[in-house]
Amino acid sequence: MRRMKISIFSLLLIMFCLPVSAQRIVLSDTLKKYDVDYPYYLEDKDASLNFESVVSKTFVKAEDKVPDFLGNLSDAIWYRFNISNKTNETQWFLEVKAGFMHNISIYQINEDGSVKSLTLNVNNHSKHKSVASNNLIFPITILKNSEKTIFIRSTSKTLIRTSMSIGTMQKLYEDKTFTSFGDGFFTAIAVALLLYNLFVYFMLREKVYLHYIGYISIAILHNNLVAGYIQAALPFPDWINTTTVLPVMCFFSILFTNSFLQSKEYAPLIYKFRLPLLLICIIPLICYALGWYRIAILQSATLIFMLCIYWVIAGIIAYRNGLAPAAFYLGGYGILVVVSIVYELKMKGLLPENYWTDSSLFIGVAIESVILSFALANKFNFYKKEKERLQNEAYQQATRFSRELISMQEAERKRIASELHDSLGQKLVLIKNKILKTSLSETKETQQLSEDTLTQNVADAIQEIRNISYGLRPYQLDLLGLTSSIKSMAEDSFDTTEIDYNIDLQNIDSFFDNEAQINIYRIIQECIHNIIKHADAKNIYIIIKKIDNQIKITITDDGIGFSSDENKMGFGLKGIKERLQILGGTMNVDSNFNKGSLFEFLIPLQ
Amino acid sequence: MNIEKIKILIADDHPIFLKGLQEVLEDADNLEVVHKADNGTDAIDLALKNEIDIAILDIDMPGANGLQVAEQILAKKPGVAIILLTMHKAKDTFLKALEIGISGYVLKENAVVDIISAISAVNKFQSYISPEMSSYLLNNKNRNGNDSTLKLELLTPSKKK
């Protein structure tokens, strides 16, 4: 509130000074800061004017509170204002919030006409400065009830935006403490999230995290460069400045936008524009390298303005196309756009100058990094949930299959049990009774007769056991190999039916291990079983061929066919699929009603 | 009685059956069980290292099955007569055995009756098949006419190379 009052006060002052056509700042309170608003300036097209020639020239009043001379291609800008001191304090300071500026010279003309000049610039290290700070601070000694005329010359390799204010050291120090704390605090938030996302990147190896890190770190760098902190703390080369950093930030923001919004899928139009935009990012850098500083900063500013539109549209498109996290994205970049507008409005004098507007870029980047990092965490969570869901699904599928397997096993046991009990058991009961009966009979002939039938009964029992055992496990696989086993099985199966068959097998014994062999055997057995049971076929062809490095098994019949609806497939077909999956093979089923059916299996060699 | 006895190797993984078989064989005067094995690999070792006249082999054995054992023995010692003793009353197994070149195929269920006849047939360089096996083979004619016996080469692709 106090700052606002100051602004209004200085505004009134300026209005009061208007008729004189010179800006006059009256210092009346040592605990107030006096902003040099709407300054009078002079363009120096090729930076050729010197102080002596400027004194007599006419200055014009700026339309903005703090003009930024964007689009003005002059190499140097001169400012002029008068200071009049009504207080007892003689030591005042001019603070220029322009750590990023190339070169600023101040000329003080005393009432007696003597001139004192001082030049400060980015490259001056602290020991050359009268006051070491991120802002450029010029001491002004002014006696009570006296007046001074101040001339200021600014040149810059980037933006010429000279936000000037006058105050006592106490006032400047007090304000500085608050600002530095705030800027440091918000920078720290962004840096902390940067580190967090760096760790996440190392964990997930997802490019989007890297793009976030690139974008936020450059944004932090940009803010600290604009505020002059970095130049004050580190010996930084002056080519790292707003003009060169902004395009890099834009570059990463384009990458981040596209990877975060998955624009290829959710916003194809945005995706199409990304390459030309990335290329445009290089243009300001080229201009800067060629020494066209004023053009370069104009391009950087235009680029960031274009990107504001790009971000917002990208976010809206992706959100509309169903990408929920795009809301976070819009929030994050929306904040950045809003604070940029706030900052510009402050510079134009439409918003009061206070900490919140002054450091709005710091706050904006901090909030943005929080929101985007929250979005990334959300995404991380989403991945985790998706993974869990898939795992769960796989687990359930496995459970379902093992349940089916167990019930199959039980059915099989039941079948074996009933075979043992009903047929073999009955036969043995019969044998036992015959033995009992034989021991009771008297004549030699009847004894001989029952011995013969007994032998036959036992032989039958042995055959029964043989049938059961062969049904459980094809003995041929161990004794004769896969090819012969398949052949025998097919022949034995069809010999008991009315089906004519034709079998053409290449020898494939040496291509598969035991487990694969039994799987192949069972697949063919299941097909044959189904054909005999359901197809009502007259002819069947079984062909096994080695083609390149896979085995092709073709089984065709001329039966009634079936609808190849996968949902209706029984456990037999499911079993075939499971076995085929283990073998890494593929299946092709073709069947039409009354047109027979074709099963084709391709199994890769091991 | 100084007649040289026929030296026999028997191999079966069922100890009771092995013992029973030995008793049946040694009841005959001219037979002598010189070696016993309870698995295929031992059977091969014993047959190759020692002098034997006849090897009586079960088909289902751990290590190497009877067919493999027979193949190995015949490859090195073609003079040894092989009698397979088996539960398998199946055409394919029989054909495979025939192809290897065994001299006798005896069903286990009839072993007590058939084995002595088999040995004496083999001893006269004749072949022997259990009567029950031959009647099974004759009854089980292939309907389609594409009888496996006619396509023996399908079972022996390794020998076509």
Side-chain angles (χ1 to χ4, degrees), chain A residues 474-577:
Chain A
Y475 66 95
Q476 296 102 326
L477 270 185
D478 301 326
L479 292 182
L480 309 172
L482 179 62
T483 319
S484 309
S485 305
I486 293 171
K487 195 173 159 65
S488 299
M489 180 257 294
E491 284 172 356
D492 290 347
S493 309
F494 291 122
D495 279 343
T496 57
T497 66
E498 293 294 304
I499 304 172
D500 286 339
Y501 58 92
N502 209 316
I503 304 176
D504 183 4
L505 308 183
Q506 259 180 26
N507 188 291
I508 54 168
D509 289 355
S510 51
F511 301 137
F512 301 100
D513 62 18
N514 284 342
E515 194 196 328
Q517 287 192 8
I518 189 80
N519 283 329
I520 293 171
Y521 181 90
R522 291 294 188 206
I523 287 172
I524 297 172
Q525 189 179 37
E526 184 63 35
C527 284
I528 290 175
H529 180 79
N530 280 341
I531 290 169
I532 291 173
K533 211 166 160 190
H534 306 294
D536 196 17
K538 297 274 175 295
N539 289 287
I540 180 161
Y541 298 89
I542 301 176
I543 301 163
I544 299 182
K545 258 195 190 128
K546 177 178 177 288
I547 297 173
D548 298 330
N549 51 355
Q550 50 186 4
I551 297 294
K552 186 178 171 187
I553 302 171
T554 317
I555 302 173
T556 42
D557 72 62
D558 58 354
I560 55 168
F562 60 94
S563 76
S564 44
D565 184 355
E566 294 218 353
N567 295 329
K568 286 183 190 165
M569 67 184 182
F571 198 79
L573 203 53
K574 258 189 218 163
I576 289 178
K577 285 205 154 179

Side-chain angles (χ1 to χ4, degrees), chain A residues 120-129 132 231-232 234-236:
Chain A
L120 290 178
N121 67 50
V122 176
N123 294 332
N124 278 356
H125 293 308
S126 43
K127 60 181 173 185
H128 301 297
K129 293 183 182 171
Q231 298 91 318
L234 302 163
F236 243 56

Side-chain angles (χ1 to χ4, degrees), chain A residues 462-463 466 470 475-476 478-480 484 487-488 491 494-495 497 499-501 505 507, chain B residues 59-60 65 67 87-90 92-93 96 109 142-144 146 148 151 154-155 157:
Chain A
I462 291 170
Q463 187 59 41
R466 190 177 280 132
Y470 287 0
Y475 66 95
Q476 296 102 326
D478 301 326
L479 292 182
L480 309 172
S484 309
K487 195 173 159 65
S488 299
E491 284 172 356
F494 291 122
D495 279 343
T497 66
I499 304 172
D500 286 339
Y501 58 92
L505 308 183
N507 188 291
Chain B
I59 286 190
D60 296 299
N65 67 50
L67 296 171
M87 281 294 288
H88 290 298
K89 197 155 92 178
D92 45 15
T93 320
K96 178 78 181 172
E109 49 189 292
N142 201 314
R143 250 187 333 97
N144 275 39
N146 51 359
S148 322
K151 289 193 173 178
L154 270 178
L155 295 172

